[in-house]
Amino acid sequence: AGTSVRTIDSREFSIASPVKSVRFGGSVSEILAKHEQKLPWIGRRQAVVEEYMTFLGNLVSAQTVYLCACLKMVVTYFTPMRVRICVEGVNISDSEDEDEYENLSRNFDQCHKALQLIARYVPSTSHFLMPVFQENFPFIQKSSRTLECYVHNLLRVSVYIPSIRRDILELIIGKMLQLDVSASRSDIEEAEEIAMQNLQGHPLKEEGLFDMDEDMPANPSTMAVTSHSVAERLDTLMAVLMAYVKDICHVNGSLHVERTKELYRDLLSVFDKLILPTHASCHVQYILFYLCSFRLALTEAFLDHLWKILQNPSQPAILRQAAAGYLGSFLARAKFIPVLTVRACLDLLISWIHGYIDSQNSSGKQACCDINLHGPFYSTCQAVFYVLIFRHRALLEGHMKKGLEYLQSLNLERVVMCQLNPLKLCLPTVTSMFAAITRKYQIVFCYNVIERNNRQLLPVVRSSTGGDCVTTKTNPLDSFFPFDPYLLKRSGQAIEPLYQVWEEFEDTELLSPRTSKQGPREDDDDFLYGDTPKADAIVGMTPNSFDSNLCSPNSIGSPPITFQKPF
């Protein structure tokens, strides 16, 4: 501005137009970052929250370049935190309430209102959310409470932005698998045994005298906390995910068919991509087990899906073997699968086995016992043996004569006596129990084959490094049954009524001499104890999935979901 000179009362004044300027002290993004630190809007008075919401809406609608920064800011509040303000170097709380977890529900509601507001102003918000969710996912060693809140909030997002639900489920289940493979079955059992010994050896303190950071109930009979720290975090997340599955699939206590179908397809896609290729996971797969219990059509669709993978020669052999393990374990352990469905699956499996034997006999070559060449065949045989061990009573009860005729129609003797020799590669306990049952009912006599196999060396397996062949000292199938007993206490309450436990045979004549000498174990269910080999657990991926059809859905509307909160 220019300078003018005026004379007032013979005095000269130099009048300069003041230069007005606003100093931001940095870029807009830096100002926003500082604004976030000086203004913790979560948990403030309603007027402050509403004003901040208006600011967010104006910002993302006018300057979409700041969309990701705003999304990240909102998502950072998906975990509980104690908000503090620093004023002139002094830390003060913005609230008189020092309880970190109080009013969490209200705070999370405000976060989701903000996220919904942003999505309304910027329709493409869903395309930018998943990287933010991935980046801000708490480290899996964080506390159960932190993981629980974050996963719960991600699942809430999937309700009002359903287009990314499959991606959200994939992210959550992938993290849960990391926990699952880090807590082996033996480690969890050992931790529980040590915890029980500690309880027996040291009297409990009086109620109210526990340390504050020990979230343990005073009464051990009602204790629902898994002793293994990693397993306890997984237990918490399994409980949250099961509650979500139940809430999505039910409206006013009744199953909503269309919603259930959509959720099943999303979970099945994640199963193909992450769960099926992961060896030695113990618990995450029970999400499908739990969902299938809602309706027989889901069970049949899941079985059909596994069957398609197993008998598809274009699938990798390792996935076909895994599918056989899932088939056998699911049929054996799920109480909600009726006998007719078990028989139908056994018919499919045994027919495929006989067809495979026929193809080997017709090839003109001497069939050899080689897991690398015939892995899916041996896994399918083991699945059939395993199902018969658990389900033979159900197949025989009611009408013993017809039941025996059905078992004889399976022509198991041909399977046992074929040159591929499946008894040689099956888990030893499965072999011995199958032999005992089939001997009792005079279906097939396996002990001559078993004794001959025992006199021979274990089968030769090609070295994966390309060198000379090596003789294995463990079961070369390297198999596991994915629905072995569920060990997590909190989420296990939903699985227990659906699960078929192992029932010891009362007839000692069922056991072979070698088996009877071993004596019973205290564990009522794990009859495979000590026979399943350990292997490095790897979370793998497959490129596509099969779409199993369910029954035709009823034309039912989609009322709003009442989401069950974990706190």
Side-chain angles (χ1 to χ4, degrees):
T3 300
S4 61
V5 178
R6 297 180 183 179
T7 302
I8 300 178
D9 296 335
S10 300
R11 287 178 294 179
E12 294 184 357
F13 290 86
S14 178
I15 303 174
S17 300
V19 178
K20 296 182 179 179
S21 62
V22 179
R23 185 180 181 90
F24 287 98
S27 64
V28 174
S29 60
E30 292 173 346
I31 294 299
L32 287 176
K34 292 181 179 179
H35 182 66
E36 174 190 342
Q37 297 170 1
K38 295 179 181 182
L39 180 58
W41 63 282
I42 290 293
R44 302 296 290 270
R45 291 181 295 108
Q46 185 63 25
V48 176
V49 173
E50 290 178 356
E51 191 67 26
Y52 195 85
M53 294 279 193
T54 303
F55 163 71
L56 281 180
N58 292 334
L59 180 63
V60 297
S61 60
Q63 297 289 338
T64 55
V65 68
Y66 299 116
L67 173 64
C68 290
C70 293
L71 293 177
K72 184 176 181 180
M73 180 275 302
V74 175
V75 173
T76 55
Y77 288 104
F78 276 8
T79 54
M81 62 184 66
R82 179 170 294 156
V83 179
R84 295 187 181 276
I85 304 175
C86 181
V87 178
E88 297 181 354
V90 179
N91 288 323
I92 62 173
S93 174
D94 70 324
S95 172
E96 295 180 358
D97 184 8
E98 291 293 329
D99 189 347
E100 186 177 3
Y101 299 130
E102 191 167 334
N103 298 323
L104 273 182
S105 180
R106 182 194 63 179
N107 295 346
F108 290 157
D109 286 343
Q110 292 173 352
C111 287
H112 291 288
K113 287 180 181 178
L115 205 54
Q116 288 173 286
L117 177 70
I118 294 173
R120 185 163 64 248
Y121 279 107
V122 185
S124 62
T125 296
S126 60
H127 300 296
F128 300 92
L129 271 175
M130 287 313 302
V132 176
F133 289 162
Q134 176 74 47
E135 179 183 353
N136 287 273
F137 205 105
F139 185 54
I140 60 174
Q141 296 299 327
K142 288 288 186 179
S143 69
S144 296
R145 188 63 171 178
T146 298
L147 293 170
E148 176 186 19
C149 290
Y150 193 81
V151 167
H152 165 75
N153 284 309
L154 292 191
L155 293 174
R156 284 188 66 178
V157 174
S158 74
V159 174
Y160 55 83
I161 309 182
S163 61
I164 60 174
R165 181 173 69 179
R166 184 175 296 185
D167 294 329
I168 288 176
L169 290 172
E170 182 179 325
L171 172 61
I172 292 172
I173 291 176
K175 298 294 184 179
M176 292 171 65
L177 281 171
Q178 293 180 25
L179 290 169
D180 203 357
V181 299
S182 300
S184 67
R185 183 174 298 276
S186 59
D187 289 344
I188 298 175
E189 291 173 340
E190 182 180 358
E192 291 296 331
E193 183 178 353
I194 293 175
M196 186 58 65
Q197 291 175 353
N198 291 338
L199 285 176
Q200 294 173 351
H202 300 85
L204 291 175
K205 301 178 184 179
E206 295 181 5
E207 186 174 359
L209 298 181
F210 287 102
D211 293 337
M212 292 300 295
D213 55 349
E214 291 183 1
D215 188 17
M216 299 286 288
N219 187 355
S221 63
T222 60
M223 184 168 54
V225 177
T226 304
S227 299
H228 193 281
S229 60
V230 176
E232 193 272 331
R233 292 193 287 274
L234 177 62
D235 191 8
T236 300
L237 298 188
M238 287 293 294
V240 173
L241 193 52
M242 286 180 181
Y244 171 81
V245 168
K246 183 178 180 180
D247 285 349
I248 291 293
C249 297
H250 293 83
V251 178
N252 297 326
S254 300
L255 187 72
H256 192 289
V257 176
E258 188 60 33
R259 284 182 181 175
T260 303
K261 286 176 58 178
E262 293 172 354
L263 181 60
Y264 167 78
R265 287 169 179 157
D266 286 344
L267 286 174
L268 195 67
S269 174
V270 179
F271 172 82
D272 286 337
K273 190 173 183 179
L274 296 180
I275 301 177
L276 182 64
T278 301
H279 180 72
S281 62
C282 301
H283 299 97
V284 173
Q285 56 266 21
Y286 272 91
I287 292 297
L288 268 299
F289 187 98
Y290 179 65
L291 177 61
C292 288
S293 69
F294 293 168
R295 190 179 180 92
L296 179 58
L298 294 172
T299 297
E300 294 176 344
F302 186 51
L303 290 168
D304 179 67
H305 180 74
L306 294 170
W307 163 245
K308 287 177 179 177
I309 297 176
L310 169 61
Q311 54 89 40
N312 185 359
S314 63
Q315 285 281 352
I318 190 65
L319 293 185
R320 296 173 67 191
Q321 292 177 226
Y326 270 92
L327 265 171
S329 192
F330 190 52
L331 289 169
R333 293 295 196 170
K335 274 186 178 180
F336 48 84
I337 301 181
V339 176
L340 288 178
T341 303
V342 175
R343 287 186 56 165
C345 291
L346 283 175
D347 290 340
L348 282 175
L349 294 174
I350 203 70
S351 176
W352 184 86
I353 289 173
H354 285 300
Y356 195 92
I357 295 173
D358 291 337
S359 67
Q360 294 300 307
N361 293 339
S362 62
S363 65
K365 299 181 180 178
Q366 181 73 19
C368 60
C369 185
D370 192 333
I371 185 63
N372 293 294
L373 296 177
H374 313 292
F377 169 79
Y378 292 118
S379 295
T380 305
C381 289
Q382 180 167 260
V384 170
F385 300 160
Y386 189 77
V387 172
L388 289 174
I389 290 171
F390 276 86
R391 292 287 195 163
H392 71 278
R393 287 174 174 171
L395 292 169
L396 294 173
E397 67 183 6
H399 203 299
M400 177 68 74
K401 182 178 180 181
K402 288 186 177 180
L404 288 175
E405 289 176 353
Y406 171 73
L407 292 179
Q408 291 170 352
S409 70
L410 299 179
N411 197 5
L412 295 170
E413 183 175 7
R414 181 177 186 244
V415 177
V416 170
M417 301 297 178
C418 72
Q419 292 181 340
L420 292 174
N421 194 3
L423 292 183
K424 189 172 186 179
L425 294 186
C426 290
L427 292 173
T429 313
V430 172
T431 299
S432 61
M433 293 304 303
F434 174 75
I437 292 169
T438 53
R439 179 186 64 175
K440 176 181 179 180
Y441 297 106
Q442 299 182 6
I443 299 171
V444 58
F445 192 78
C446 303
Y447 289 106
N448 289 338
V449 177
I450 294 175
E451 291 300 325
R452 184 175 68 247
N453 291 337
N454 289 339
R455 290 193 296 267
Q456 299 173 354
L457 291 175
L458 287 173
V460 173
V461 181
R462 295 188 183 94
S463 173
S464 59
T465 59
D468 296 335
C469 295
V470 295
T471 302
T472 63
K473 295 184 179 180
T474 59
N475 174 257
L477 269 182
D478 199 21
S479 56
F480 78 110
F481 294 100
F483 298 116
D484 272 354
Y486 196 89
L487 302 179
L488 307 181
K489 295 181 178 180
R490 179 181 171 189
S491 55
Q493 297 174 8
I495 300 299
E496 183 179 0
L498 311 172
Y499 192 74
Q500 176 63 53
V501 298
W502 169 246
E503 298 176 356
E504 292 287 349
F505 292 106
E506 297 179 358
D507 301 332
T508 56
E509 65 184 32
L510 275 179
L511 301 178
S512 64
R514 184 180 62 86
T515 306
S516 60
K517 290 179 182 179
Q518 295 174 349
R521 292 182 64 248
E522 292 182 359
D523 192 333
D524 293 334
D525 196 285
D526 194 4
F527 79 100
L528 294 178
Y529 182 83
D531 292 311
T532 305
K534 296 182 180 179
D536 293 335
I538 302 175
V539 180
M541 302 177 68
T542 53
N544 51 23
S545 63
F546 295 91
D547 185 15
S548 299
N549 295 324
L550 303 181
C551 60
S552 300
N554 301 324
S555 56
I556 305 176
S558 299
I561 294 176
T562 303
F563 190 79
Q564 180 179 348
K565 299 182 180 180
F567 41 81

